[in-house]
Amino acid sequence: MTDATGTGTDPKAPSAPAAPPLDGLRVLDLATLFAGPLAATMLGDFGAEVIKVEHPTRPDPSRGHGPAKDGVGLWWKILGRNKRTITLDLCSPPGRDVLLRLAAGADVIVENFRPGTLERWGLGWAELCAVNPRLVLARVTGFGQFGPYSRRPGFGTLAEAMSGFAAMTGEPEGPPTLPPFGLADSIAALATAYAVMTALNGRAASGRGQVVDLAIIEPILTVLGPQPLWYDQLGYVQPRTGNRSRNNAPRNTYRTADGSWLAVSTSAQSVAERVMRLVGREELVEEPWFTTGSGRADHADVLDEAVGGWIARRSRDDVMAAFEKADAAVAPVYDVRDVMDDPQYRALDTVTEVADPDLGPIRMQNVLFRLSETPGAIRWAGRAHGADTDAVLGELGLSAPEIAALREEGAL
């Protein structure tokens, strides 16, 4: 019996797995810490061959960031996943020569040295483009490749401060608040991966690569919304409002009778109306100010008292059930323990198990999204410093004696 396509194949038979969408793409990850390396991780998750290049004696500091188990840094296990690792001293002439040979066969280089550093080593765009005109060079720095701050050391914390994020985060009478994780770096990583794919698409049309100049201070400013436009047109500066929003209400976290915290959102007018009817304050829906998000935000005290008082008299489970029945938006405030046990995250396999030779089975965030035909995958967790040096250089055509000589002179 033939299937609907007329091919004669059994429609129930499993099809051969498709190659991942970035199969055949070669990426050299020269960056350290978070934004650049995370962008390379995202490319590796969908099939790119990523070669992590680290200094022989000064590996990526992320290997030592955060908690460790049995001397093994855990952050590196996720940041270094799907990457082959080699050591190479880029500022030495032999190391420079090896990098240029690697660049000749690469599609993408991701780096985050201060502007001028690669040029000082003889590895600037002119040299890289000469050996590979199709190369995409992604340069990820705090402040970009030019301008008065370009030579400053740049970290995500500075971007979180300078973008306006910290100024608008926190309680009204409290200090500006920084996030307790690498927010700006992570946003910059997403932007870098997008920029690389955009440049590669451009290469498909033109046949030539180009330089991506990404400043970490910029993507976070983009995701903060229309603040520059508001200021330009109205002189409006968004204040700190804690968990409240200046755009709608009720929007806050509320404590239940059994001590849990729940978050409520009413960005849609219809949801706001359902919430107020649910908590027995339908008369507020008839107020003229209730018809707009900004009007409700101006009356947040009244709405918070109504919603918060109703929630405070009920258990978490009762509140969640009532909100779900009313088709209103609510979510429990989770910590990582809750995330690991949540049935929706389990259904999506958002936190997945990976076999690791150092630690055995480990769990980490899965790839960012699901593709129906060419899905991404975690093939391995972060590998040891320089684990693939000999193999990668051997594939490049270097003999074992040549590799040994490079190691002897400190280039590897």
Side-chain angles (χ1 to χ4, degrees), residues 211-403:
V211 177
V212 172
D213 176 9
L214 190 135
I216 296 173
I217 59 172
E218 292 182 305
I220 187 172
L221 183 59
T222 297
V223 304
L224 289 181
Q227 292 192 57
L229 180 59
W230 285 342
Y231 180 74
D232 175 65
Q233 295 298 302
L234 302 172
Y236 176 74
V237 178
Q238 184 165 333
R240 288 190 289 283
T241 57
N243 289 323
R244 288 180 172 177
S245 168
R246 287 299 305 150
N247 304 312
N248 65 81
R251 191 264 198 182
N252 213 325
T253 58
Y254 307 94
R255 196 167 192 176
T256 65
D258 53 359
S260 296
W261 287 93
L262 301 176
V264 172
S265 175
T266 57
S267 296
Q269 178 70 23
S270 58
V271 174
E273 293 174 5
R274 288 180 208 137
V275 169
M276 300 320 298
R277 292 189 176 103
L278 172 64
V279 302
R281 297 298 302 276
E282 55 272 5
E283 78 278 5
L284 295 176
V285 175
E286 306 305 320
E287 294 286 348
W289 50 260
F290 197 89
T291 59
T292 65
S294 58
R296 297 196 307 275
D298 288 339
H299 294 79
D301 286 344
V302 173
L303 297 174
D304 273 347
E305 181 181 0
V307 175
W310 186 88
I311 289 176
R313 296 190 297 273
R314 292 162 173 82
S315 70
R316 186 181 95 161
D317 289 347
D318 287 346
V319 174
M320 293 290 296
F323 266 72
E324 185 170 351
K325 184 177 180 180
D327 198 20
V330 68
V333 176
Y334 278 176
D335 64 22
V336 69
R337 294 168 294 188
D338 303 304
V339 169
M340 300 292 265
D341 290 336
D342 182 84
Q344 181 63 31
Y345 281 127
R346 287 202 303 269
L348 296 174
D349 197 29
T350 304
V351 178
T352 196
E353 187 173 283
V354 180
D356 182 70
D358 298 318
L359 300 172
I362 58 177
R363 289 187 291 171
M364 64 176 64
Q365 297 97 316
N366 210 335
V367 300
L368 275 174
F369 46 85
R370 286 161 291 281
L371 296 178
S372 63
E373 300 299 322
T374 56
I378 303 171
R379 301 182 296 283
W380 62 82
R383 291 167 58 76
H385 182 227
D388 303 290
T389 302
D390 287 17
V392 170
L393 297 192
E395 293 164 8
L396 197 59
L398 275 69
S399 66
E402 288 175 312
I403 294 172

